[in-house]
Amino acid sequence: MRLAYASASAPPYPRSELLAGHQGTVVLRVLVGVDGRPLEVEVESGSGYRRLDEAARRHVLRHWSFQPAMRDGQAVQAIGLVPIEFSLERG
């Protein structure tokens, strides 16, 4: 299922990784409950840096919310993949 974000702020960049110049994209596997809150967040594919991966996982679990997935008019649990990019480029 395709997940729709309700609230999805960028995770903070771990200071040690920022100073080291580490960047990358982590893809998270998110189990979303019927209320739109993440129930479980696991790293599907890592960025190459454990601290970046963990910062993304923790932030999504604690701060993000999604629009509940619907099936036959009822909210259901759903799993989706969420990419999070840590980049030193300023946009």
Side-chain angles (χ1 to χ4, degrees), residues 7-41:
S7 173
S9 60
Y13 218 117
R15 184 166 175 75
S16 60
E17 301 303 294
L18 186 63
L19 293 173
H22 295 164
Q23 56 186 354
T25 301
V26 55
V27 178
L28 301 174
R29 183 175 186 265
V30 181
L31 172 63
V32 178
V34 296
D35 62 355
R37 302 294 301 168
L39 298 175
E40 294 177 10
V41 179

Side-chain angles (χ1 to χ4, degrees), residues 26-59:
V26 55
V27 178
L28 301 174
R29 183 175 186 265
V30 181
L31 172 63
V32 178
V34 296
D35 62 355
R37 302 294 301 168
L39 298 175
E40 294 177 10
V41 179
E42 299 174 358
V43 175
E44 177 80 7
S45 64
S47 65
Y49 302 99
R50 188 175 50 90
R51 286 189 179 120
L52 293 181
D53 298 347
E54 186 56 24
R57 191 193 71 77
R58 264 194 329 266
H59 187 77

